[in-house]
Amino acid sequence: MNDFLNSTSTVPEFVGASKAGDTIGLVIPSVDQALLDKLHVNKQYKTLGIISDRTGAGPQIMAMDEGVKATNMDTIDVEWPRDTKGGGGHGSLIIVGGDDPADARQAVQVALDNIHRTMGDVYNSPAGHLELQFTARASNCARVGLGAVEGKAFGLICGCPSGIGLVMADKALKTAGVEPIAFSTPSHGTSFSNEGSLTITGDSGAVRQAVMAGREIGLKLLGELASSEPKNDFPSYIK
Amino acid sequence: MNDFLNSTSTVPEFVGASKAGDTIGLVIPSVDQALLDKLHVNKQYKTLGIISDRTGAGPQIMAMDEGVKATNMDTIDVEWPRDTKGGGGHGSLIIVGGDDPADARQAVQVALDNIHRTMGDVYNSPAGHLELQFTARASNCARVGLGAVEGKAFGLICGCPSGIGLVMADKALKTAGVEPIAFSTPSHGTSFSNEGSLTITGDSGAVRQAVMAGREIGLKLLGELASSEPKNDFPSYIK
Amino acid sequence: MNDFLNSTSTVPEFVGASKAGDTIGLVIPSVDQALLDKLHVNKQYKTLGIISDRTGAGPQIMAMDEGVKATNMDTIDVEWPRDTKGGGGHGSLIIVGGDDPADARQAVQVALDNIHRTMGDVYNSPAGHLELQFTARASNCARVGLGAVEGKAFGLICGCPSGIGLVMADKALKTAGVEPIAFSTPSHGTSFSNEGSLTITGDSGAVRQAVMAGREIGLKLLGELASSEPKNDFPSYIK
């Protein structure tokens, strides 16, 4: 189960990496000011922690949300490359800023430690994928990256191809008294990914139920399209 | 020849699916109002018909154009994910709206029934692809999705990588008295796909000739690049 | 070592092609005016030379930079499809304009002749890639495509996934007295590619040193993520 890569690196900027999503964790203790001026960050800090990956944005954002909860780091940029190595979704670039390199390293390490968990409700098939996320209390990475309300429950219901995500979203909103934050589609709110993604907030139990309702119909629809059961690589955490 | 997937689904929203492009057809009989408010549709309807796929936008749009001709459904959204599972083109999300769930289901079914035909002039090779479309009379899905003039002949001439599409477009416009609607390139009018795509209108015979002229040089150029003949998976319908 | 494809084409528009990046070179001696009106070019010419490919933008732009130096052609459009056939970077569409078809053909041929060289510092691995470029004197293709200052030294330092490019950029800027032109990330200055890319200008020796410093740390970091040494397909030219 341990897919973490060798971390006996001699490069001080390297924190760790995981085969899950081809995710790398990095730290820049004191960033060059000329580079900082060229970055599109919402606040300037000299010390940066970085999570960057090929496959997955939601899992890495929710993993870093634990990283910022555990430290004093601020999320200052979340970007969404259209990647997934031929799949229909996103990779991510997440930058957190602060004043203490040890704190940055700790935030990145906590994020890496959470990747397997937050990948638990990503379901893959040759025809597409589903992603579900849930937290009872969102922090600043979920806010910057996904529009979550800090301190409140947050859920993500996502399906690829995007039409499946649309039906999942409809089912989720009909199930429980939750409030939609946004619904993203290929041309609106994504980087042209082939996903329909609903984000929701509200009472913690209701958000969880809505996420599970979306998952249930998503698994059936993607199963119909793929002629095979969509599979998660890590154990589901939403139950 | 039958690549349609199992449709004994117990999910009422599921209409059907095809391996061609990983295309799924769905219906939402009465969409949640909070979700409808978050969608980017040009007109609000409670009943939605959906075609969503990983590979192909033109074929699915032209297939749904037959769907809307056969019913009272309106095309209210066409979106272009940058997909094709590692290829250089688009998938699609097509939403039609109306008042009658049976009508929505019928439109989606007609679209699915037409996918093999409209895939007939998609030519693939390891280096890229070509797509040609033609209709003697465009309806509202071709208008919303591709800028066609309703009731008039319409043609699409597309090549990947995009430079091939540029030469195809030049040849098509020189062949016959047709009127260009638009020429799309990676940074203009596409979702960063690697395609050059010309859309044309005019006299039906002239449009067909122009499409065929574009196809002829496209096949030669893509053949040079690929070192092998580009192949269509279904019989050509433009002749 | 010769991967150039058959050029005994009977299509007059075909100049040549290379398996490196699936790159095709084309010429339109006298473009249709209606098509020219639809193109997004910075200056109108009747004669067009075209380089179009699936994998690589920097290598093709730097190769065409030699093409325009060797001729009287002007770079009138550079576009960045989000391609690379499932990889995390770009393809390209490069259009040069002029008045003499023989000159256009010559520019395209020189570009094709330089592709192997400018691919020399592209390093691939299953997890991502690096790209480095350097010229002591940039011309109009590097200016239009990459923001280079004409007549001055120019360097490109790029890593995928993008976080690796960010650390490479930081290292490059700390190494030598160079001036940053831009830093591009998935949501800023790219077509949603998964790259962090720094462009620099300055004294020729300093630019070269900065590019090599970025390369050194990039190779280490990508090696950590990929569990294997990133490899270039052609000999490195920056030393």
Side-chain angles (χ1 to χ4, degrees):
Chain A
M1 282 311 271
N2 184 355
D3 75 344
F4 283 93
L5 300 164
N6 172 33
S7 58
T8 60
S9 177
T10 57
V11 184
E13 287 86 353
F14 180 74
V15 177
S18 170
K19 284 181 193 167
D22 295 298
T23 304
I24 190 166
L26 301 159
V27 165
I28 301 180
S30 179
V31 69
D32 187 271
Q33 184 62 44
L35 178 59
L36 190 52
D37 292 341
K38 297 286 186 190
L39 292 179
H40 294 83
V41 293
N42 57 35
K43 197 169 163 189
Q44 289 215 343
Y45 288 99
K46 279 308 234 181
T47 297
L48 306 183
I50 303 159
I51 286 283
S52 175
D53 71 278
R54 299 292 308 279
T55 300
Q60 283 80 359
I61 292 168
M62 298 310 286
M64 183 54 100
D65 210 45
E66 300 304 316
V68 295
K69 280 180 195 170
T71 61
N72 285 314
M73 300 299 286
D74 252 10
T75 305
I76 57 174
D77 189 26
V78 175
E79 304 197 12
W80 298 73
R82 173 67 189 86
D83 204 341
T84 57
K85 301 174 90 168
H90 295 104
S92 72
L93 172 65
I94 303 168
I95 307 178
V96 297
D99 300 315
D100 177 359
D103 215 31
R105 180 171 287 270
Q106 171 71 358
V108 170
Q109 189 61 59
V110 170
L112 289 170
D113 291 345
N114 273 277
I115 292 279
H116 284 189
R117 184 180 62 81
T118 56
M119 283 267 183
D121 287 281
V122 174
Y123 299 86
N124 290 299
S125 82
H129 66 266
L130 309 177
E131 181 192 344
L132 295 310
Q133 299 291 348
F134 169 76
T135 181
R137 188 174 66 83
S139 188
N140 67 67
C141 192
R143 173 177 53 80
V144 173
L146 290 161
V149 183
E150 266 187 77
K152 293 197 62 176
F154 172 78
L156 170 72
I157 295 127
C158 169
C160 163
S162 56
I164 290 178
L166 183 52
V167 175
M168 292 166 71
D170 183 61
K171 203 60 97 182
L173 287 174
K174 282 171 175 162
T175 306
V178 294
E179 190 188 332
I181 299 168
F183 184 70
S184 300
T185 52
S187 304
H188 300 281
T190 70
S191 301
F192 298 138
S193 83
N194 200 341
E195 297 173 311
S197 294
L198 178 71
T199 46
I200 54 176
T201 187
D203 169 73
S204 176
V207 169
R208 188 198 304 262
Q209 283 303 315
V211 168
M212 289 169 70
R215 179 175 62 189
E216 186 184 359
I217 194 165
L219 285 168
K220 284 180 188 164
L221 290 174
L222 186 54
E224 293 286 348
L225 179 59
S227 292
S228 70
E229 189 104 12
K231 291 233 168 63
N232 48 349
D233 290 338
F234 302 100
S236 166
Y237 79 94
I238 307 175
K239 39 194 161 192
Chain B
M1 282 309 272
N2 184 355
D3 76 342
F4 282 94
L5 301 164
N6 172 33
S7 58
T8 60
S9 177
T10 57
V11 184
E13 286 86 352
F14 181 73
V15 177
S18 171
K19 283 181 194 168
D22 295 298
T23 304
I24 191 166
L26 300 159
V27 164
I28 301 179
S30 179
V31 69
D32 186 90
Q33 184 62 45
L35 178 59
L36 190 52
D37 292 341
K38 298 285 187 191
L39 292 180
H40 294 83
V41 293
N42 58 35
K43 197 169 164 190
Q44 287 213 346
Y45 289 99
K46 278 308 233 182
T47 298
L48 306 182
I50 302 159
I51 286 283
S52 175
D53 71 276
R54 300 290 310 277
T55 300
Q60 283 80 358
I61 293 169
M62 298 311 285
M64 183 54 99
D65 211 46
E66 300 304 316
V68 295
K69 281 180 195 172
T71 61
N72 284 314
M73 300 300 286
D74 251 11
T75 306
I76 57 174
D77 189 27
V78 175
E79 304 197 12
W80 299 73
R82 175 65 190 85
D83 203 340
T84 57
K85 302 174 90 168
H90 295 104
S92 73
L93 171 65
I94 303 168
I95 307 178
V96 296
D99 301 314
D100 177 0
D103 215 31
R105 182 170 285 270
Q106 172 70 357
V108 170
Q109 189 60 60
V110 170
L112 289 170
D113 291 344
N114 272 276
I115 292 279
H116 284 189
R117 184 180 63 83
T118 56
M119 284 266 183
D121 287 282
V122 174
Y123 299 87
N124 291 299
S125 82
H129 65 266
L130 310 178
E131 181 191 345
L132 296 308
Q133 299 291 349
F134 169 76
T135 181
R137 187 175 66 84
S139 189
N140 67 67
C141 192
R143 173 177 53 80
V144 173
L146 290 161
V149 183
E150 265 187 78
K152 292 197 64 177
F154 172 79
L156 170 73
I157 295 126
C158 170
C160 162
S162 56
I164 290 178
L166 183 53
V167 175
M168 291 166 72
D170 184 60
K171 205 58 99 180
L173 287 174
K174 282 171 175 162
T175 306
V178 294
E179 189 188 333
I181 299 168
F183 184 70
S184 301
T185 52
S187 303
H188 299 281
T190 70
S191 301
F192 298 139
S193 83
N194 200 339
E195 296 173 311
S197 295
L198 178 70
T199 47
I200 53 176
T201 187
D203 169 73
S204 175
V207 169
R208 187 197 306 264
Q209 284 303 315
V211 168
M212 290 169 70
R215 178 175 63 188
E216 186 184 0
I217 194 166
L219 285 168
K220 284 180 187 163
L221 290 174
L222 186 54
E224 294 285 348
L225 179 58
S227 291
S228 71
E229 189 104 11
K231 290 234 168 63
N232 48 350
D233 290 337
F234 301 100
S236 165
Y237 78 95
I238 306 174
K239 39 195 159 191
Chain C
M1 282 311 271
N2 184 355
D3 76 343
F4 282 94
L5 300 164
N6 172 33
S7 58
T8 60
S9 177
T10 58
V11 184
E13 287 86 352
F14 181 74
V15 177
S18 171
K19 283 182 193 166
D22 296 297
T23 304
I24 190 165
L26 300 159
V27 164
I28 301 180
S30 178
V31 68
D32 186 272
Q33 184 62 44
L35 179 59
L36 190 51
D37 292 341
K38 298 284 185 191
L39 292 179
H40 293 84
V41 292
N42 58 35
K43 197 170 164 189
Q44 288 214 343
Y45 288 99
K46 280 306 235 180
T47 298
L48 306 182
I50 302 159
I51 286 284
S52 175
D53 71 278
R54 299 291 309 278
T55 299
Q60 283 81 358
I61 292 168
M62 298 311 285
M64 182 55 98
D65 210 45
E66 299 304 314
V68 296
K69 281 180 196 172
T71 61
N72 284 314
M73 300 299 286
D74 252 11
T75 305
I76 58 174
D77 189 28
V78 175
E79 305 197 11
W80 298 73
R82 173 68 188 84
D83 204 341
T84 58
K85 302 173 89 168
H90 295 104
S92 73
L93 171 65
I94 303 167
I95 307 178
V96 297
D99 301 315
D100 177 0
D103 215 32
R105 181 171 286 270
Q106 172 71 357
V108 170
Q109 189 61 59
V110 170
L112 289 170
D113 291 345
N114 273 275
I115 293 279
H116 284 188
R117 185 180 62 83
T118 56
M119 284 266 183
D121 287 282
V122 174
Y123 299 86
N124 291 298
S125 82
H129 65 265
L130 310 177
E131 181 191 345
L132 296 309
Q133 299 292 348
F134 168 76
T135 181
R137 187 175 65 83
S139 189
N140 67 67
C141 192
R143 173 177 53 79
V144 173
L146 291 161
V149 183
E150 266 187 78
K152 292 197 63 177
F154 172 80
L156 170 73
I157 295 125
C158 170
C160 162
S162 55
I164 291 178
L166 183 53
V167 175
M168 292 166 72
D170 183 62
K171 205 59 98 181
L173 287 174
K174 282 171 174 161
T175 307
V178 294
E179 188 188 334
I181 298 168
F183 183 69
S184 301
T185 52
S187 303
H188 299 281
T190 70
S191 302
F192 299 138
S193 82
N194 200 340
E195 296 173 312
S197 294
L198 178 70
T199 46
I200 54 176
T201 186
D203 170 73
S204 176
V207 169
R208 187 197 305 263
Q209 284 303 315
V211 168
M212 290 169 70
R215 179 174 64 188
E216 186 184 359
I217 194 165
L219 285 168
K220 285 179 187 166
L221 290 174
L222 186 54
E224 293 286 350
L225 179 58
S227 293
S228 71
E229 188 105 12
K231 291 234 168 62
N232 49 349
D233 290 337
F234 301 100
S236 165
Y237 78 95
I238 306 174
K239 38 196 161 190

